[in-house]
Amino acid sequence: MLIQTANLGAANECHLYPPAELCYKPKIEHTTFFTKRFPGLNSTAGRGACFPTPAYQWQDAVFAPAFELIRQAIAAHAFPAASVSITHHGNLVGLKAFGHSTYEPDSPEATPETVFDLASITKVVATVSMAMILYERGLLDLDLPVVAAVTEFAGEDRHRDAVTPRMLLAHSSGLPAYEKLFLRVRTRDELLAAAFATPLAADPGAKAEYSDIGFIILGVALERIADESLDRFSQHEIFGPLAMTHTAFNPPLAWRASIPPSANDPSFRRRIIQGEVQDENASVLGGVAGHAGVFASAEDLAIFAHAILAGGRPIFRPETVSLFTRRETSPPGTSRALGWDTPSSPSQSGKYFSADSFGHLGYTGTSLWIDPERQLSVTLLTNRTWPDCSNQAIKQLRPKFHDAVIEALGGP
């Protein structure tokens, strides 16, 4: 199986990895764009701490061109609502919301606390993070066959036995990108059975093709290894330790009225989709899936990104962060890391993010990009799928917005 049992007895006594420190504050002086322009700002205040230091009192002046791009996009109906967070050298230098839940002017106004459907950002915030934690604990071997944990994945095609968690993470398993499984099934068990039986479209490891199906299967494998569901594990191992209080699978009913709707679905669910996952396959899976289902605020994603930039504290080791965010060397030409994407040409991250950067997009109009070289993270959350999925204007906005943010911070 994927579970490595050799040291589990010792783990029960002394743990396989050292307990995470809640905070650490190295005495490192940094001179940044903000400390040059605003000398009263302590550049080390947030560096390495658990949370980025709020320092967005100057954001309207500094990021005026970037924010104007979002206002123009809303006016052009690229999306009705947006929320942005920007961290730089440990400081939360941008936290701003724009627009309303829908294009109706009397709909709720977006705020920095507004929670959005993250869509595929779920992959990195929840599923990849769970894989990282299990890997650190010696429970996940990235290169053992997936069929060891998900026996239902086996089939007549013997190539399936060669698929590993590493391939699922790197989108090189040979599984197809997407299947409308929800049209053929009614229940969670039926959809999982259909996912497990999905034929390979290519030999494992031969090419990189982004696959939601692969992450559905990966999520199940991780749940079986941990003996715990993805949502429960994420809550007490990731969201809880980081105090991401506006992040959850299946958000509580009390949140739903303030969550911007993601779609008006006249054919499958026959209702407005608000406060429930937009992705239809994830919906049949009960809102908890390896590829989609997490809702979060931009500020919570800034906290998550800050932890990654701080070496993973308090939930990951620096070595694990490096392993999972480094671009894979196989298949040749891939832009994928383990779960994360890296800048390609052209890239939705724009033209300035460094080669060591990594990020992810979400179908609903969400994105998170992190640049360790610049000590920068940029989160952009929208509901561009409202009222339907036809509008693709976000693809033009994202790179321009990222470029404008970096230019505002002093340029390339």
Side-chain angles (χ1 to χ4, degrees):
M1 291 186 67
L2 295 177
I3 301 177
Q4 297 177 337
T5 58
N7 294 320
L8 288 184
N12 290 333
E13 291 184 0
C14 60
H15 305 291
L16 287 171
Y17 63 103
E21 299 173 27
L22 291 179
C23 294
Y24 71 107
K25 299 180 180 180
K27 296 179 181 179
I28 302 173
E29 289 296 331
H30 260 291
T31 301
T32 70
F33 169 85
F34 273 82
T35 55
K36 288 178 181 177
R37 187 165 177 180
F38 307 106
L41 177 64
N42 178 3
S43 65
T44 64
R47 174 79 173 167
C50 292
F51 308 105
T53 300
Y56 46 87
Q57 55 267 49
W58 303 288
Q59 63 177 337
D60 288 327
V62 174
F63 298 114
F67 291 168
E68 181 58 25
L69 287 172
I70 294 178
R71 293 188 182 95
Q72 291 174 2
I74 290 173
H77 283 201
F79 43 79
S83 188
V84 170
S85 63
I86 304 164
T87 70
H88 191 231
H89 285 286
N91 295 297
L92 181 62
V93 297
L95 184 63
K96 186 89 170 173
F98 307 83
H100 295 76
S101 288
T102 70
Y103 294 115
E104 300 301 320
D106 59 348
S107 67
E109 188 173 0
T111 72
E113 292 77 35
T114 297
V115 169
F116 288 79
D117 180 349
L118 297 188
S120 283
I121 295 182
T122 296
K123 292 180 172 73
V124 292
V125 172
T127 313
V128 175
S129 294
M130 183 174 181
M132 292 167 71
I133 292 169
L134 294 177
Y135 171 81
E136 286 190 354
R137 295 179 182 178
L139 300 176
L140 173 65
D141 188 320
L142 294 173
D143 298 308
L144 285 180
V146 168
V147 293
V150 186
T151 56
E152 304 96 318
F153 184 65
E156 293 184 4
D157 182 358
R158 303 310 299 174
H159 288 95
R160 300 172 78 84
D161 294 345
V163 174
T164 65
R166 185 186 299 274
M167 292 176 184
L168 295 178
L169 285 161
H171 297 284
S172 60
S173 66
L175 286 162
Y178 178 70
E179 296 283 336
K180 293 183 177 181
L181 303 177
F182 63 91
L183 294 178
R184 314 200 305 258
V185 302
R186 287 174 172 247
T187 68
R188 179 181 186 276
D189 287 345
E190 289 173 351
L191 193 141
L192 288 179
F196 298 152
T198 300
L200 298 182
D203 289 343
K207 69 174 185 176
E209 181 174 10
Y210 184 82
S211 176
D212 272 359
I213 304 299
F215 260 75
I216 291 173
I217 295 167
L218 176 63
V220 173
L222 297 177
E223 288 181 330
R224 292 183 180 179
I225 291 168
D227 194 25
E228 188 170 25
S229 66
L230 177 60
D231 57 333
R232 289 180 60 86
F233 186 97
S234 297
Q235 186 59 51
H236 70 74
E237 297 283 358
I238 305 161
F239 309 152
L242 291 177
M244 295 168 66
T245 57
H246 292 87
T247 302
F249 286 92
N250 287 324
L253 289 175
W255 295 11
R256 294 200 171 186
S258 62
I259 297 175
S262 56
N264 185 0
D265 182 357
S267 56
F268 177 57
R269 284 167 284 188
R270 296 183 175 87
R271 61 177 179 269
I272 289 175
I273 306 305
Q274 182 176 21
E276 58 177 306
V277 66
Q278 181 272 335
D279 182 274
E280 295 92 343
N281 285 335
S283 177
V284 175
L285 290 170
V288 180
H291 70 296
V294 173
F295 287 70
S297 67
E299 184 173 19
D300 275 11
L301 286 190
I303 294 170
F304 178 82
H306 175 76
I308 297 290
L309 286 169
R313 300 291 183 92
I315 56 175
F316 310 122
R317 288 175 174 173
E319 298 85 355
T320 307
V321 172
S322 177
L323 172 66
F324 277 74
T325 59
R326 183 172 60 242
R327 180 182 287 194
E328 290 285 283
T329 58
S330 179
T334 183
S335 68
R336 296 287 167 182
L338 294 182
W340 294 88
D341 200 7
T342 65
S344 53
S345 184
S347 173
Q348 287 286 290
S349 66
K351 58 189 177 185
Y352 297 134
F353 272 77
S354 74
D356 293 331
S357 302
F358 46 92
H360 213 286
L361 308 180
Y363 184 74
T364 49
T366 59
S367 60
L368 168 64
W369 280 94
I370 299 173
D371 189 339
E373 183 177 309
R374 296 179 182 274
Q375 282 293 297
L376 171 71
S377 76
V378 182
T379 298
L380 173 61
L381 306 181
T382 78
N383 59 332
R384 73 98 196 160
T385 49
W386 176 263
D388 57 50
C389 305
S390 61
N391 194 322
Q392 302 290 324
I394 188 109
K395 293 181 179 179
Q396 286 73 49
L397 169 73
R398 276 199 200 106
K400 292 179 181 178
F401 174 70
H402 290 130
D403 289 348
V405 167
I406 292 180
E407 287 165 2
L409 291 171

